[in-house]
Amino acid sequence: MKRRNFLKACIIGGATITLGKTNKGWASGSFEGYPESMGVLVDTTRCVGCRSCEAACNKEQQLPAPQCSFDDKSVFEEPRRPTSTAYTVVNEYEKKSAGGPVYRKVQCNHCNEPACLTSCFVNAYTKTKEGAVIYNSKVCVGCRNCMIACPFNVPGYSYESVTNPVVKKCILCYDTRLKVGKPPACVEICPQEALTFGHRADLIKLAHERIRMNPERYYDHVYGEKEVGGTSWLYLSRTSFDKIGFDTTLSNDPIISNVKDFLGMVPMVLSIWPALFSGIHLLSKGGQDGHGHDTETREEDH
């Protein structure tokens, strides 16, 4: 197993065995998600890389101004990931393809059965009925298990406060929009209608209908429909998803299901102690670059 995958198994396994079922939405082979869950369909064939979604998110969540303006296209030179000061980013792929570049928006995918939630032993995460995975900084102890467990490598870590470091990520604009029926700010601002907000079940039908009606335009897959148990963010693409930065090796089972056999064979102490020591190891590394990002996570990205 790769180091990151081993740590995921140890952390989730340790939390599962030690604490038992502490949150609703734990994995099962027949898990079908939340029937009334909302979501967003991202049609990457329509995205032009304008980064309006980044600007809208920044304003809605009252985040610090970026180092480069939202009009600066130089940010596309290297792939980016969400951070504690940028909950969503747009990356450019297939730059030299005949059809032109493909742009992909990246943010928390709000999994139906989130690995961040199942790996958190203090219940800092909640999966709402609207589909959002939200976070409570008041109970978080800063162990960063969620950052290791996330299959999409999304949560960012903020070091702005020495006494109260917190995990930060997209929350689907839950507090200001989603819980009152409004679409996320990024969806509302998109000038190309590349983002569609609605009930997840309806978005899945819409996605498959677009593929059926325009098979020459779309790759025949809806990313997020089934990956790791399904996500609230769904994607369409003209090319295979591995070419635009998606992990296509993920199982359709939620992350916790992937370690069931592991948990059955390994005694409790072997699951608890790796989780404990991996947390200590991460905290001891504790390095950060000039932007306040977790350097270990960044090193693993490369």
Side-chain angles (χ1 to χ4, degrees):
M1 297 176 71
K2 293 182 179 179
R3 184 170 75 94
R4 184 179 180 86
N5 292 336
F6 176 74
L7 288 176
K8 286 181 183 179
C10 290
I11 287 172
I12 299 175
T16 303
I17 294 176
T18 307
L19 300 170
K21 183 175 178 180
T22 57
N23 286 290
K24 67 178 182 179
W26 287 72
S28 63
S30 60
F31 181 73
E32 297 181 354
Y34 297 76
E36 298 304 314
S37 174
M38 306 301 287
V40 178
L41 174 62
V42 183
D43 190 334
T44 63
T45 70
R46 298 182 179 186
C47 183
V48 296
C50 69
R51 300 179 63 204
S52 295
C53 54
E54 291 187 38
C57 176
N58 182 277
K59 180 179 180 180
E60 185 75 19
Q61 299 302 322
Q62 300 179 8
L63 300 174
Q67 290 189 335
C68 299
S69 74
F70 293 112
D71 296 324
D72 189 344
K73 304 301 182 182
S74 68
V75 296
F76 294 139
E77 293 177 4
E78 296 290 340
R80 298 176 294 153
R81 52 157 290 184
T83 68
S84 63
T85 58
Y87 296 171
T88 187
V89 296
V90 177
N91 287 326
E92 183 182 62
Y93 302 90
E94 298 283 273
K95 299 180 181 183
K96 297 181 180 180
S97 67
V102 177
Y103 297 97
R104 172 199 164 193
K105 181 182 183 298
V106 186
Q107 73 294 302
C108 172
N109 286 324
H110 298 274
C111 302
N112 286 340
E113 198 156 2
C116 58
L117 183 153
T118 53
S119 68
C120 181
F121 61 89
V122 294
N123 292 342
Y125 288 92
T126 301
K127 176 72 175 181
T128 72
K129 62 184 177 65
E130 295 89 353
V133 177
I134 59 176
Y135 164 80
N136 183 356
S137 62
K138 294 180 180 178
V139 299
C140 177
V141 296
C143 68
R144 288 175 283 178
N145 284 356
C146 56
M147 295 177 66
I148 297 174
C150 177
F152 302 108
N153 196 25
V154 165
Y157 200 67
S158 170
Y159 292 93
E160 279 76 10
S161 171
V162 176
T163 58
N164 185 35
V166 294
V167 175
K168 293 187 176 182
K169 71 174 192 68
C170 161
I171 58 170
L172 264 179
C173 294
Y174 178 76
D175 294 324
T176 58
R177 290 174 167 271
L178 186 62
K179 69 180 181 181
V180 293
K182 293 182 179 180
C186 58
V187 175
E188 191 172 82
I189 199 67
C190 182
Q192 300 298 120
E193 297 184 353
L195 309 177
T196 304
F197 174 74
H199 283 94
R200 183 177 184 273
D202 294 336
L203 294 177
I204 291 173
K205 293 178 182 178
L206 173 62
H208 283 291
E209 181 66 11
R210 288 186 184 179
I211 293 173
R212 188 184 70 81
M213 296 296 292
N214 298 281
E216 70 289 344
R217 181 184 178 95
Y218 296 104
Y219 181 74
D220 190 10
H221 182 70
V222 180
Y223 195 95
E225 178 181 3
K226 297 180 179 179
E227 280 78 7
V228 294
T231 62
S232 291
W233 281 77
L234 307 160
Y235 287 83
L236 288 172
S237 172
R238 74 178 189 216
T239 186
S240 58
F241 286 93
D242 60 309
K243 294 181 179 180
I244 56 174
F246 286 90
D247 186 348
T248 56
T249 66
L250 295 175
S251 166
N252 288 343
D253 292 325
I255 292 296
I256 193 69
S257 295
N258 296 334
V259 297
K260 282 181 178 178
D261 293 338
F262 170 81
L263 298 179
M265 295 184 293
V266 181
M268 178 173 18
V269 66
L270 294 182
S271 293
I272 296 173
W273 282 103
L276 174 62
F277 283 116
S278 63
I280 294 173
H281 170 68
L282 288 174
L283 289 172
S284 66
K285 295 279 288 187
Q288 52 182 302
D289 60 18
H291 303 294
H293 303 152
D294 188 336
T295 55
E296 183 185 39
T297 303
R298 290 171 63 89
E299 288 168 4
E300 288 184 1
D301 289 342
H302 295 289

mmCIF file of all heavy atoms in Angstrom, residues 103-120:
data_model
loop_
_atom_site.group_PDB
_atom_site.id
_atom_site.type_symbol
_atom_site.label_atom_id
_atom_site.label_comp_id
_atom_site.label_asym_id
_atom_site.label_seq_id
_atom_site.Cartn_x
_atom_site.Cartn_y
_atom_site.Cartn_z
ATOM 1 N N TYR A 103 -11.057 23.055 -18.878
ATOM 2 C CA TYR A 103 -10.948 23.654 -17.554
ATOM 3 C C TYR A 103 -11.798 22.856 -16.567
ATOM 4 O O TYR A 103 -12.923 22.456 -16.879
ATOM 5 C CB TYR A 103 -11.411 25.105 -17.581
ATOM 6 C CG TYR A 103 -10.556 25.972 -18.478
ATOM 7 C CD1 TYR A 103 -10.946 26.242 -19.792
ATOM 8 C CD2 TYR A 103 -9.351 26.509 -18.022
ATOM 9 C CE1 TYR A 103 -10.158 27.024 -20.627
ATOM 10 C CE2 TYR A 103 -8.554 27.290 -18.850
ATOM 11 C CZ TYR A 103 -8.959 27.538 -20.154
ATOM 12 O OH TYR A 103 -8.173 28.308 -20.979
ATOM 13 N N ARG A 104 -11.239 22.658 -15.409
ATOM 14 C CA ARG A 104 -11.936 21.891 -14.383
ATOM 15 C C ARG A 104 -11.939 22.650 -13.061
ATOM 16 O O ARG A 104 -10.899 23.085 -12.577
ATOM 17 C CB ARG A 104 -11.256 20.539 -14.173
ATOM 18 C CG ARG A 104 -11.807 19.770 -12.975
ATOM 19 C CD ARG A 104 -10.850 18.693 -12.517
ATOM 20 N NE ARG A 104 -11.199 18.225 -11.184
ATOM 21 C CZ ARG A 104 -10.410 17.458 -10.416
ATOM 22 N NH1 ARG A 104 -9.233 17.099 -10.871
ATOM 23 N NH2 ARG A 104 -10.799 17.096 -9.217
ATOM 24 N N LYS A 105 -13.107 22.823 -12.498
ATOM 25 C CA LYS A 105 -13.265 23.448 -11.181
ATOM 26 C C LYS A 105 -13.052 22.391 -10.099
ATOM 27 O O LYS A 105 -13.610 21.292 -10.175
ATOM 28 C CB LYS A 105 -14.664 24.053 -11.074
ATOM 29 C CG LYS A 105 -14.955 24.768 -9.764
ATOM 30 C CD LYS A 105 -16.396 25.281 -9.774
ATOM 31 C CE LYS A 105 -16.738 26.075 -8.532
ATOM 32 N NZ LYS A 105 -16.644 25.285 -7.286
ATOM 33 N N VAL A 106 -12.258 22.740 -9.087
ATOM 34 C CA VAL A 106 -11.947 21.810 -8.003
ATOM 35 C C VAL A 106 -12.404 22.401 -6.677
ATOM 36 O O VAL A 106 -12.117 23.570 -6.386
ATOM 37 C CB VAL A 106 -10.431 21.524 -7.930
ATOM 38 C CG1 VAL A 106 -10.144 20.445 -6.886
ATOM 39 C CG2 VAL A 106 -9.888 21.124 -9.289
ATOM 40 N N GLN A 107 -13.095 21.606 -5.874
ATOM 41 C CA GLN A 107 -13.542 22.004 -4.545
ATOM 42 C C GLN A 107 -13.911 20.729 -3.797
ATOM 43 O O GLN A 107 -13.791 19.635 -4.335
ATOM 44 C CB GLN A 107 -14.744 22.954 -4.621
ATOM 45 C CG GLN A 107 -16.053 22.301 -5.030
ATOM 46 C CD GLN A 107 -16.050 21.790 -6.430
ATOM 47 O OE1 GLN A 107 -15.822 22.542 -7.362
ATOM 48 N NE2 GLN A 107 -16.306 20.500 -6.624
ATOM 49 N N CYS A 108 -14.344 20.849 -2.559
ATOM 50 C CA CYS A 108 -14.858 19.687 -1.850
ATOM 51 C C CYS A 108 -16.007 19.096 -2.646
ATOM 52 O O CYS A 108 -16.903 19.823 -3.095
ATOM 53 C CB CYS A 108 -15.342 20.095 -0.456
ATOM 54 S SG CYS A 108 -16.206 18.782 0.436
ATOM 55 N N ASN A 109 -15.995 17.780 -2.837
ATOM 56 C CA ASN A 109 -17.038 17.131 -3.636
ATOM 57 C C ASN A 109 -18.259 16.745 -2.814
ATOM 58 O O ASN A 109 -19.230 16.238 -3.356
ATOM 59 C CB ASN A 109 -16.469 15.895 -4.332
ATOM 60 C CG ASN A 109 -15.565 16.262 -5.491
ATOM 61 O OD1 ASN A 109 -15.816 17.225 -6.201
ATOM 62 N ND2 ASN A 109 -14.503 15.498 -5.680
ATOM 63 N N HIS A 110 -18.210 16.939 -1.508
ATOM 64 C CA HIS A 110 -19.345 16.669 -0.630
ATOM 65 C C HIS A 110 -19.876 15.243 -0.841
ATOM 66 O O HIS A 110 -20.993 15.031 -1.306
ATOM 67 C CB HIS A 110 -20.444 17.715 -0.828
ATOM 68 C CG HIS A 110 -19.989 19.093 -0.481
ATOM 69 N ND1 HIS A 110 -20.026 19.596 0.797
ATOM 70 C CD2 HIS A 110 -19.407 20.079 -1.240
ATOM 71 C CE1 HIS A 110 -19.514 20.821 0.821
ATOM 72 N NE2 HIS A 110 -19.125 21.127 -0.405
ATOM 73 N N CYS A 111 -19.032 14.291 -0.475
ATOM 74 C CA CYS A 111 -19.332 12.873 -0.657
ATOM 75 C C CYS A 111 -20.623 12.472 0.065
ATOM 76 O O CYS A 111 -20.954 13.020 1.117
ATOM 77 C CB CYS A 111 -18.189 12.025 -0.129
ATOM 78 S SG CYS A 111 -16.582 12.357 -0.882
ATOM 79 N N ASN A 112 -21.324 11.513 -0.501
ATOM 80 C CA ASN A 112 -22.507 10.987 0.166
ATOM 81 C C ASN A 112 -22.140 10.380 1.518
ATOM 82 O O ASN A 112 -22.877 10.491 2.497
ATOM 83 C CB ASN A 112 -23.177 9.915 -0.697
ATOM 84 C CG ASN A 112 -23.897 10.507 -1.880
ATOM 85 O OD1 ASN A 112 -24.219 11.691 -1.900
ATOM 86 N ND2 ASN A 112 -24.157 9.693 -2.895
ATOM 87 N N GLU A 113 -21.011 9.699 1.546
ATOM 88 C CA GLU A 113 -20.538 9.104 2.787
ATOM 89 C C GLU A 113 -19.086 9.538 2.973
ATOM 90 O O GLU A 113 -18.150 8.860 2.588
ATOM 91 C CB GLU A 113 -20.656 7.589 2.733
ATOM 92 C CG GLU A 113 -20.609 6.958 4.091
ATOM 93 C CD GLU A 113 -21.278 5.591 4.135
ATOM 94 O OE1 GLU A 113 -21.748 5.124 3.097
ATOM 95 O OE2 GLU A 113 -21.317 5.010 5.221
ATOM 96 N N PRO A 114 -18.880 10.710 3.558
ATOM 97 C CA PRO A 114 -17.573 11.363 3.557
ATOM 98 C C PRO A 114 -16.516 10.664 4.407
ATOM 99 O O PRO A 114 -16.762 10.308 5.555
ATOM 100 C CB PRO A 114 -17.871 12.757 4.136
ATOM 101 C CG PRO A 114 -19.366 12.893 4.102
ATOM 102 C CD PRO A 114 -19.904 11.511 4.240
ATOM 103 N N ALA A 115 -15.339 10.502 3.832
ATOM 104 C CA ALA A 115 -14.222 9.927 4.579
ATOM 105 C C ALA A 115 -13.766 10.878 5.681
ATOM 106 O O ALA A 115 -13.318 10.439 6.743
ATOM 107 C CB ALA A 115 -13.065 9.623 3.630
ATOM 108 N N CYS A 116 -13.880 12.180 5.439
ATOM 109 C CA CYS A 116 -13.497 13.146 6.477
ATOM 110 C C CYS A 116 -14.372 12.976 7.709
ATOM 111 O O CYS A 116 -13.898 13.061 8.849
ATOM 112 C CB CYS A 116 -13.590 14.574 5.935
ATOM 113 S SG CYS A 116 -15.227 15.060 5.322
ATOM 114 N N LEU A 117 -15.647 12.713 7.493
ATOM 115 C CA LEU A 117 -16.591 12.535 8.597
ATOM 116 C C LEU A 117 -16.310 11.248 9.353
ATOM 117 O O LEU A 117 -16.245 11.226 10.583
ATOM 118 C CB LEU A 117 -18.019 12.551 8.042
ATOM 119 C CG LEU A 117 -19.191 12.442 9.019
ATOM 120 C CD1 LEU A 117 -20.421 13.124 8.419
ATOM 121 C CD2 LEU A 117 -19.533 10.992 9.334
ATOM 122 N N THR A 118 -16.130 10.148 8.619
ATOM 123 C CA THR A 118 -15.932 8.861 9.277
ATOM 124 C C THR A 118 -14.572 8.759 9.953
ATOM 125 O O THR A 118 -14.379 7.928 10.832
ATOM 126 C CB THR A 118 -16.097 7.706 8.278
ATOM 127 O OG1 THR A 118 -15.247 7.910 7.146
ATOM 128 C CG2 THR A 118 -17.532 7.614 7.806
ATOM 129 N N SER A 119 -13.619 9.583 9.547
ATOM 130 C CA SER A 119 -12.290 9.532 10.164
ATOM 131 C C SER A 119 -12.169 10.471 11.361
ATOM 132 O O SER A 119 -11.176 10.434 12.080
ATOM 133 C CB SER A 119 -11.210 9.899 9.139
ATOM 134 O OG SER A 119 -11.308 11.268 8.767
ATOM 135 N N CYS A 120 -13.172 11.316 11.586
ATOM 136 C CA CYS A 120 -13.096 12.320 12.648
ATOM 137 C C CYS A 120 -13.654 11.762 13.955
ATOM 138 O O CYS A 120 -14.848 11.457 14.051
ATOM 139 C CB CYS A 120 -13.884 13.570 12.248
ATOM 140 S SG CYS A 120 -13.813 14.878 13.488
#
